[in-house]
Amino acid sequence: MAQGRGVNSLRFNQDQSCFCVAMDSGVRIFNVEPLMEKGHLDAEQVGSVGLVEMLNRSNLLAIVGGGSNPKFPDVSVLIWDDAREDPKDKLVLEFTFPKPVLAVRMRHDKLVVVLQSRIYVFSFPDNPTKLFEFDTRDNPKGICDLCPSLEKQLLVFPGHKCGSLQLVDLGSAAPGTSVAPVTINAHQSEVGCAALSPPGTLLASASRRGTLLRLFDTHSRLRLLELRRGTDPATLYCLSFSADSAFLCASSDRGTLHVFALRDTRLNRRSALARVGGVGPVLRPYAESQWSLCSFALPEGTAQCAFGTATHGPTSVIDSAARRDRAVRIRNGHSRTHLRHCCVLRWDLPEVSVQPRRELQPRRLRRLPRHLRRRRLLSPPQLKTPP
């Protein structure tokens, strides 16, 4: 996020119905559909904030200090209860760590805190205690995702090997015991982004190169799909599943948001080389890749994307240079809402369907015109040899 514009981070809640903005001026919380501000914490209460995480649509927020004028250190996670009337009682919990906090994830019974090389898992919100502690590969981006499903308590984070991911089922392990995570060799280079589907059945990942997205089954750990974002390297900002896990959207620094079909993969585009056939081993991975079914142009800035709850279209929140308080304009079929330091774009996915192939019907050959017909030789030519 561009700190000069006042926005330090953006995060959707677990069901993607709200998003919260960590700013130099505090915290702002917005509802997605319809788009409106639901609440805010000013700088006098919390100072400038670097990270904020919202628990569903409840009154609990996890706040990490940061930005230009922080009131709290970046090594502490503060739990803010906005439902309490007395402002002095709203800060209910504080977790302090030896190094700066890079990411926070929450679900109804767990709190996950990500450091550069370690991850802590706490019980939450009643009687918070440390349950697990995991060592990770150097993780400067704080890559981690926590499944919000009631049936599966999956946690994914980078593994010790380059390009690998570790998958842990927090529900099947006893607290305080050592847990052996399941390792998935996702990429050959460093992992750049990872996300779990809402039911916890699918895992999407991308490398730092950002050209390929891979989809894995969390139960069998098998690779299901390989999706191609593009051919040029890019930094992925976000991977997000739809509520029914039928679509996946990805945003990058290339200024585009790509949407892929996961259930009906016939909707995805293919390379023209795939129809030619007979491609060599060098071009075969490129020819067999699936491209996004549609893409959208984004304004300049870091983007966090998510699918709306009322429609199947993706909703993208972008840190933009817009300085207007509020203005809504309709252009090219999508709505663009400007806030003071960020803007919200909403699209509807185009109606895409797979047309069945028409069977080839035999046709009678047309007789060529007289002047185009090949004349028939009455007798073969005579080959004469010189004397």
Side-chain angles (χ1 to χ4, degrees), residues 259-275:
V259 180
F260 301 88
L262 306 180
R263 184 171 299 170
D264 190 357
T265 57
R266 297 176 300 172
L267 300 177
N268 295 327
R269 296 179 294 119
R270 262 74 169 182
S271 172
L273 295 176
R275 297 189 293 269

Side-chain angles (χ1 to χ4, degrees), residues 264 266-268 351-359:
D264 190 357
R266 297 176 300 172
L267 300 177
N268 295 327
E351 294 293 336
V352 182
S353 60
V354 178
Q355 299 295 335
R357 296 181 178 179
R358 293 183 297 178
E359 298 182 358

Side-chain angles (χ1 to χ4, degrees), residues 197-199 202 215 225 240-249 259-265 267-268 293 307 312 349:
S197 62
L202 300 175
L215 191 72
L225 287 175
S240 181
F241 287 87
S242 61
D244 56 357
S245 302
F247 297 95
L248 175 72
C249 61
V259 180
F260 301 88
L262 306 180
R263 184 171 299 170
D264 190 357
T265 57
L267 300 177
N268 295 327
L293 67 93
F307 285 87
H312 292 289
L349 286 181

Side-chain angles (χ1 to χ4, degrees), residues 270-291:
R270 262 74 169 182
S271 172
L273 295 176
R275 297 189 293 269
V276 175
V279 180
V282 178
L283 295 178
R284 184 175 295 113
Y286 178 86
E288 295 177 354
S289 297
Q290 300 185 28
W291 299 66

Side-chain angles (χ1 to χ4, degrees), residues 323-387:
R323 296 291 177 178
R324 305 181 182 182
D325 289 342
R326 191 172 182 85
V328 180
R329 291 177 290 178
I330 304 297
R331 288 186 179 179
N332 299 328
H334 68 266
S335 63
R336 177 187 181 113
T337 304
H338 289 272
L339 308 174
R340 184 177 296 274
H341 293 287
C342 62
C343 66
V344 179
L345 282 79
R346 182 179 295 114
W347 299 274
D348 291 330
L349 286 181
E351 294 293 336
V352 182
S353 60
V354 178
Q355 299 295 335
R357 296 181 178 179
R358 293 183 297 178
E359 298 182 358
L360 295 178
Q361 299 294 334
R363 296 182 180 180
R364 294 183 60 182
L365 295 178
R366 294 183 178 180
R367 187 177 181 86
L368 292 176
R370 185 179 297 274
H371 67 280
L372 295 179
R373 297 177 195 170
R374 185 178 178 181
R375 294 186 178 181
R376 185 177 181 182
L377 296 177
L378 298 179
S379 60
Q382 299 293 329
L383 183 60
K384 297 182 179 181
T385 57

Side-chain angles (χ1 to χ4, degrees), residues 85-273:
E85 296 181 359
D86 191 352
K88 298 180 180 180
D89 296 336
K90 292 189 176 184
L91 184 58
V92 294
L93 289 173
E94 181 176 358
F95 301 86
T96 304
F97 303 91
K99 293 185 178 180
V101 176
L102 301 179
V104 180
R105 299 292 181 264
M106 301 172 71
R107 51 174 286 143
H108 71 283
D109 59 349
K110 297 290 189 303
L111 172 71
V112 177
V113 180
V114 184
L115 308 186
Q116 186 163 350
S117 59
R118 186 160 295 182
I119 291 180
Y120 297 90
V121 181
F122 297 89
S123 61
F124 184 81
D126 298 329
N127 190 21
T129 56
K130 187 176 73 173
L131 302 178
F132 306 102
E133 183 177 342
F134 303 101
D135 292 330
T136 68
R137 189 179 179 85
D138 186 53
N139 186 16
K141 295 178 61 177
I143 298 173
C144 175
D145 199 17
L146 181 64
C147 179
S149 173
L150 298 177
E151 289 76 18
K152 291 189 177 182
Q153 302 182 28
L154 294 180
L155 175 68
V156 62
F157 51 88
H160 295 282
K161 183 181 176 182
C162 178
S164 65
L165 289 168
Q166 297 189 60
L167 195 63
V168 183
D169 188 357
L170 301 176
S172 61
T177 61
S178 60
V179 182
V182 174
T183 301
I184 298 177
N185 296 319
H187 304 276
Q188 295 181 352
S189 58
E190 295 287 350
V191 176
C193 199
L196 290 166
S197 62
T201 56
L202 300 175
L203 167 64
S205 66
S207 66
R208 290 186 183 177
R209 182 175 174 82
T211 54
L212 292 177
L213 284 67
R214 286 171 178 161
L215 191 72
F216 298 90
D217 183 273
T218 57
H219 179 70
S220 63
R221 305 188 299 277
L222 297 177
R223 190 172 74 182
L224 303 177
L225 287 175
E226 184 173 270
L227 308 170
R228 181 169 291 275
R229 183 208 56 82
T231 56
D232 298 328
T235 300
L236 285 183
Y237 295 136
C238 179
L239 290 175
S240 181
F241 287 87
S242 61
D244 56 357
S245 302
F247 297 95
L248 175 72
C249 61
S251 61
S252 68
D253 62 350
R254 289 290 177 178
T256 53
L257 185 146
H258 295 268
V259 180
F260 301 88
L262 306 180
R263 184 171 299 170
D264 190 357
T265 57
R266 297 176 300 172
L267 300 177
N268 295 327
R269 296 179 294 119
R270 262 74 169 182
S271 172
L273 295 176

